[in-house]
């Protein structure tokens, strides 16, 4: 019938111009919309889950409620006497922590013992001990000790943050100049045939499994750099940073290269026609014009390094130390989750703190991307909107 | 007759296998405006770009013949193309300001030539912009993005940018083809002023424009130079039938 009306001469009548319901169009539109919202919903749900698991740290009641869970786990590991001890410690850490606030490390052993004797009392003052424990955990979060499984656990995030920032900084300092110069070379100087080889080759590196890079760093680079710099601990922030740079270079390279090749050829022509050399053109015209793209590339590289787990686990030494020395071992936020999540007691404070780290990673990456998005958008608008 | 600034001898150019210019011999007089006309693809832009060796950028170009500028063959192996282009400025069809401020755009040329003194640069920028008749319009916003200018202003700023390097020859590749009549008139006025000091070669699709601004006109067709002479003569009593047909709009 539809075809029939089409074959007939089209007449403008109210009937022929009537709105038609196009079922396939309607369906495909709805499906695409729902898929889009689904992906957003999944991200929100992941964040919600991570955040929910973090909450017990901030709520004293939940911390106390988590004790039955701890006891339950204790049954599973019951055979292991050391774990039982540990568990006893955990039931009392409300008491420990009150002491920790005003006592130094050496006194804690004694206090723990006294806590052991007081076991009965702890259960009667569950709530009070719980909230005190809460305060202690919160205070230890900004401390410098990451000792989550000691008798007297402390969850200082400072060394993890310092370690992560150190690694990220080192990695970007290595990766960004190399990647940007490589991109500049392929975009501005390399003959076409060479460009066709270099670009895919470096881009392939982006899909390189990080465990292989980590392995390479662990086995080869660590000893190699030790031979050069003669540092003490074989696995340290420097080795980890270079290994991470290997992971970040392809990302920064690809996006920078795309940004550089997207610069209109007319810029290049204008510059050359003014008597600029190829280098001057690349450095003073092409590169500045591609700033927003390069900025985005670096931010993505930072994001990659920040969340990189496997290389961090394998090549950084994993010692939670707060120091500015690049040749000391570090422990990153992501590696901490990777290393400890599998062995943590479900619902425990340690467990929640790991999720807190997850939330922080999430928030940081999100913030970084948001910054990139808005900064770049603003910059692009400023640069190109005036064009008529 | 004035001196010849540019002389080409049997200039032939191939893009790969395709011949784009066939044995062009032409003399371009100093401090006059020479217009190249002809239908699209006739080689006039290619010829223009050969004069400052912009065709070097295109792969697979082979050139035979000579281009003598002030008696020097620019295809000589000893010639530094960077210095050559400083003497031969170029204005493009589509205005192409850098994504920088107006000041930085004009100061770019002098800067890469090693002038870093702020006051000196300011002088150059001001005189260049004045020569291009755009100073009054932009003097209060020198540090705004050049991309915020209108199309005609951008083109005049590009001319100012070219002038800032103090060239002797200015090549213009359809400088007004993307502009409205008022901006075009301004550009033409500017060309008229500039020819006192510069040798100007302009490619144009606009017959009236060629007639208005140029002293000499060259008609290209299918890679060959059909006719070259005083504009008045070309437009009134051309020697060749093809030229007459093209100018009167019977083909092309």
């Amino acid at each position: 019938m539809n075809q029939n009306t089409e074959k007939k001469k089209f007449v403008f009548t109210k009937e022929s111009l009537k709105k038609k319901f196009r079922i396939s169009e309607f369906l495909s539109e709805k499906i695409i919309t729902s898929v889009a919202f689904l992906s957003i919903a999944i991200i929100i749900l992941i964040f919600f889950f991570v955040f929910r698991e973090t909450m017990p740290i901030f709520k004293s009641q939940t911390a106390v409620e988590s004790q039955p869970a701890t006891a339950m786990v204790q049954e599973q590991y019951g055979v292991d006497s050391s774990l039982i001890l540990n568990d006893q410690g955990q039931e009392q850490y409300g008491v420990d922590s009150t002491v920790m606030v005003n006592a130094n490390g050496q006194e804690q052993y004694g206090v723990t013992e006294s806590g052991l004797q007081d076991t009965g009392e702890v259960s009667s003052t569950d709530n009070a001990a719980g909230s005190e424990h809460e305060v202690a955990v919160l205070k230890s979060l900004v401390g410098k000790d990451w000792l989550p499984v000691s008798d007297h656990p402390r969850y200082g995030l400072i060394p993890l943050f310092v370690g992560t920032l150190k690694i990220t900084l080192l990695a970007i300092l290595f990766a960004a100049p190399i990647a940007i110069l490589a991109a500049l070379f392929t975009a501005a100087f390399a003959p076409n045939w060479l460009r066709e080889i270099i670009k895919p080759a470096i881009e392939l590196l982006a899909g390189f499994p990080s465990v292989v890079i980590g392995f390479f760093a662990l086995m080869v680079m660590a000893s190699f750099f030790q031979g050069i710099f003669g540092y003490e601990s074989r696995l340290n922030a420097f080795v980890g940073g270079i290994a991470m740079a290997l992971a970040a270079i392809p990302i920064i390279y690809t996006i920078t290269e795309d940004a550089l090749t997207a610069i209109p050829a007319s810029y290049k022509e204008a510059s050359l026609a003014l008597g600029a050399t190829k280098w001057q053109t690349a450095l003073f015209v092409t590169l500045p014009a591609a700033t927003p793209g390069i900025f985005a590339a670096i931010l993505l590289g930072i994001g990659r390094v920040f969340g990189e787990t496997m290389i961090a686990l394998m090549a950084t030494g994993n010692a939670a130390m707060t120091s500015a020395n690049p040749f000391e071992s570090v422990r990153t936020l992501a590696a901490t989750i990777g290393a400890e999540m599998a062995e943590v007691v479900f619902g425990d404070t340690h467990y929640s703190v790991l999720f807190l780290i997850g939330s922080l990673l999430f928030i940081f990456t999100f913030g970084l991307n948001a910054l990139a998005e808005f900064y770049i958008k603003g910059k692009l608008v400023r640069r190109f909107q005036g064009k008529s | 007759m004035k001196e010849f600034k540019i002389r080409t001898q049997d200039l032939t150019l191939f893009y790969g296998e395709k011949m784009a210019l066939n044995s062009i011999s032409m003399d371009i007089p100093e401090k006059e405006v020479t217009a190249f006309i002809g239908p699209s693809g006739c080689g006039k832009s290619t010829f223009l770009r050969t004069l400052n060796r912009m065709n070097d950028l295109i792969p697979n170009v082979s050139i035979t013949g000579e281009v003598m500028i002030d008696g020097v063959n620019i295809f000589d192996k000893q010639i530094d193309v960077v210095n050559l282009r400083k003497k031969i400025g170029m204005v493009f069809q589509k205005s192409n300001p850098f994504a920088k401020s107006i000041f930085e755009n004009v100061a770019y040329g002098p800067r890469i030539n090693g002038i870093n003194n702020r006051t000196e640069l300011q002088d150059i920028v001001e005189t260049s912009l004045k020569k291009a008749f755009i100073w009054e319009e932009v003097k209060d916003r020198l540090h705004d993005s050049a991309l915020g200018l209108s199309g005609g202003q951008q083109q005049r700023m590009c001319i100012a940018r070219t002038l800032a390097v103090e060239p002797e020859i200015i090549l213009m590749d359809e400088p007004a083809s993307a502009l409205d009549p008022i901006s075009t008139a301004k550009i033409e006025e500017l060309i008229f002023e500039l020819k006192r000091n510069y040798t100007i070669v302009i490619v144009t699709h606009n017959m009236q424009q060629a007639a208005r601004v140029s002293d000499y006109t060259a008609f290209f067709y299918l890679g060959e130079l059909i006719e070259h002479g005083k504009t008045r003569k070309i437009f009134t009593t051309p020697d060749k039938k093809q030229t007459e047909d093209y100018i009167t709009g019977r083909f092309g």
Side-chain angles (χ1 to χ4, degrees):
Chain A
M1 153 126 187
N2 225 338
Q3 282 178 339
N4 261 342
T5 45
E6 268 177 25
K7 271 177 194 168
K8 277 188 208 162
K9 201 180 169 203
F10 190 85
V11 191
F12 279 94
T13 62
K14 218 173 180 186
E15 190 56 36
S16 68
L17 290 171
K18 210 177 161 190
K19 272 188 185 168
K20 274 180 199 155
F21 180 69
R22 297 177 174 85
I23 183 84
S24 58
E25 186 129 331
F26 175 80
L27 277 181
S28 50
E29 190 190 317
K30 293 298 168 210
I31 288 171
I32 292 169
T33 313
S34 48
V35 168
F37 276 101
L38 187 72
S39 57
I40 295 172
I42 288 172
I43 294 170
I44 291 173
L45 281 176
I46 292 173
F47 184 58
F48 180 75
F49 172 75
V50 172
F51 202 66
R52 197 196 63 188
E53 297 299 313
T54 311
M55 282 322 283
I57 305 178
F58 303 101
K59 271 200 236 152
S60 49
Q61 281 94 338
T62 10
V64 178
E65 278 163 22
S66 75
Q67 282 185 354
T70 324
M72 200 179 71
V73 174
Q74 184 213 338
E75 279 176 41
Q76 289 170 3
Y77 293 101
V79 230
D80 191 338
S81 56
S82 68
L83 263 172
I84 295 171
L85 261 177
N86 199 356
D87 187 44
Q88 278 174 338
Q90 269 170 354
E91 276 186 41
Q92 290 148 10
Y93 51 40
V95 182
D96 294 354
S97 326
T98 41
V99 179
M100 197 206 84
V101 178
N102 47 24
N104 60 43
Q106 275 157 352
E107 278 169 327
Q108 282 161 7
Y109 286 101
V111 177
T112 311
E113 272 161 29
S114 73
L116 270 166
Q117 289 155 9
D118 290 345
T119 319
E121 274 181 46
V122 174
S123 53
S124 63
T125 56
D126 250 0
N127 248 325
S131 61
E132 277 163 8
H133 157 69
E134 255 333 291
V135 174
V137 168
L138 285 179
K139 284 204 172 173
S140 82
L141 283 178
V142 291
K144 283 188 173 181
D145 297 313
W146 176 256
L147 299 166
V149 288
S150 78
D151 282 351
H152 176 78
R154 272 151 291 167
Y155 306 101
L157 297 180
I158 300 286
L160 306 184
F161 261 108
V162 169
T164 309
L165 292 180
K166 223 158 91 177
I167 285 269
T168 309
L169 199 68
L170 277 165
I172 292 304
L173 283 182
F174 284 122
I178 293 175
I180 290 171
L181 286 179
L184 197 60
F185 171 73
T186 38
F189 299 101
N192 253 349
W193 62 269
L194 191 60
R195 179 168 182 262
E196 311 261 295
I197 297 172
I198 292 182
K199 192 164 156 65
I202 297 185
E203 279 170 356
L204 271 182
L205 255 180
F208 218 61
S210 52
V211 69
V212 179
I213 298 178
F215 176 72
F216 177 70
L218 178 70
M219 303 307 290
V220 183
M221 277 162 54
S223 306
F224 177 72
F225 287 120
Q226 195 173 32
I228 295 176
F229 297 103
Y231 44 69
E232 208 171 316
S233 40
R234 215 174 134 267
L235 299 176
N236 54 42
F238 182 76
V239 173
I242 292 187
M244 298 251 199
L246 292 182
I249 281 172
I251 294 172
I252 302 180
Y253 169 85
T254 311
I255 297 173
T256 305
E257 219 269 348
D258 287 346
L260 288 174
T261 33
I263 300 303
S266 64
Y267 282 31
K268 217 173 130 182
E269 281 190 336
S271 173
L272 291 173
L274 287 169
T277 62
K278 270 182 157 188
W279 255 116
Q280 287 168 329
T281 304
L283 223 55
F284 301 126
V285 175
T286 319
L287 209 55
T291 320
I294 296 171
F295 181 76
I298 292 176
L299 275 170
L300 274 170
I302 291 176
R304 169 79 209 264
V305 172
F306 203 76
E308 177 55 55
T309 310
M310 193 43 83
I311 296 176
L313 270 177
M314 294 174 82
T316 58
N318 290 317
M321 292 198 278
T322 312
S323 90
N325 184 353
F327 296 122
E328 291 212 39
S329 295
V330 292
R331 188 182 191 88
T332 70
L333 292 164
T336 304
I337 301 179
E340 297 174 15
M341 191 49 99
E343 293 168 22
V344 79
V345 178
F346 182 81
D348 179 23
T349 312
H350 185 191
Y351 172 86
S352 297
V353 170
L354 289 183
F355 271 95
L356 174 67
I357 293 175
S359 306
L360 290 173
L361 275 173
F362 191 98
I363 290 167
F364 185 86
T365 319
F366 186 78
L368 200 69
N369 284 340
L371 180 79
E373 177 75 10
F374 295 120
Y375 179 74
I376 289 168
K377 275 244 173 89
K379 221 167 153 105
L380 281 177
V381 164
R382 241 178 297 140
R383 269 166 187 258
F384 296 110
Q385 210 183 36
K387 208 170 182 175
S388 51
Chain B
M1 188 94 196
K2 289 190 180 181
E3 263 179 64
F4 293 121
K5 186 78 177 169
I6 307 170
R7 310 184 79 136
T8 70
Q9 197 66 49
D10 290 328
L11 184 72
T12 302
L13 183 143
F14 282 90
Y15 289 126
E17 297 289 303
K18 191 178 166 290
M19 181 187 272
L21 294 175
N22 184 8
S23 187
I24 309 272
S25 298
M26 180 156 110
D27 299 327
I28 296 172
E30 190 172 10
K31 290 185 184 168
E32 300 273 9
V33 178
T34 303
F36 292 173
I37 58 170
S40 294
C42 69
K44 55 194 189 309
S45 284
T46 301
F47 183 61
L48 191 78
R49 294 167 69 92
T50 311
L51 299 180
N52 69 344
R53 287 184 59 181
M54 285 302 272
N55 283 329
D56 289 13
L57 299 176
I58 303 163
N60 293 329
V61 169
S62 56
I63 300 169
T64 54
E66 277 183 344
V67 176
M68 309 289 282
I69 292 178
D70 283 340
V72 180
N73 182 7
I74 62 165
F75 292 113
D76 195 300
K77 286 207 167 58
Q78 304 289 317
I79 295 286
D80 181 27
V81 68
V82 169
N83 286 332
L84 174 78
R85 290 190 190 131
K86 281 174 190 163
K87 287 285 147 219
I88 307 170
M90 187 158 191
V91 178
F92 296 85
Q93 180 174 7
K94 201 167 158 281
S95 58
N96 50 2
F98 303 130
K100 299 172 188 280
S101 69
I102 296 166
F103 182 89
E104 286 302 324
N105 259 282
V106 181
Y108 177 78
R111 242 188 237 282
I112 56 171
N113 287 327
I115 298 173
N116 283 312
N117 185 320
R118 188 81 192 165
T119 46
E120 205 176 333
L121 279 177
Q122 268 162 350
D123 281 350
I124 294 174
V125 169
E126 189 177 334
T127 42
S128 305
L129 287 169
K130 276 179 177 162
K131 277 188 204 164
F133 297 122
I134 192 179
W135 172 251
E136 287 302 318
E137 291 161 60
V138 300
K139 64 178 178 188
D140 298 324
R141 45 171 176 155
L142 284 180
H143 296 284
D144 289 3
S145 168
L147 300 178
L149 295 171
S150 76
Q153 288 173 327
Q154 285 189 8
Q155 193 62 296
R156 277 179 287 147
M157 192 215 70
C158 289
I159 295 176
R161 187 174 66 186
T162 305
L163 298 178
V165 211
E166 297 177 347
E168 292 171 15
I169 302 167
I170 301 174
L171 309 175
M172 296 185 173
D173 192 354
E174 299 181 48
S177 69
L179 302 181
D180 66 279
I182 292 168
S183 303
T184 305
K186 282 186 180 161
I187 299 272
E188 287 178 10
E189 206 179 313
L190 173 58
I191 292 170
F192 202 76
E193 284 296 318
L194 291 176
K195 77 170 181 183
R196 290 168 205 257
N197 300 307
Y198 304 90
T199 305
I200 295 173
V201 184
I202 176 172
V203 165
T204 178
H205 273 295
N206 182 330
M207 291 308 125
Q208 285 78 33
Q209 185 171 61
R212 282 193 300 262
V213 301
S214 69
D215 305 300
Y216 291 83
T217 299
F219 172 59
F220 287 78
Y221 185 62
L222 297 177
E224 293 189 38
L225 177 62
I226 306 293
E227 195 168 348
H228 176 214
K230 289 235 177 207
T231 300
R232 182 177 303 239
K233 180 169 182 303
I234 297 267
F235 275 85
T236 51
T237 52
D239 291 336
K240 303 264 171 64
K241 177 91 171 49
Q242 272 172 310
T243 316
E244 193 186 342
D245 286 352
Y246 182 73
I247 287 168
T248 51
R250 245 167 280 171
F251 88 107

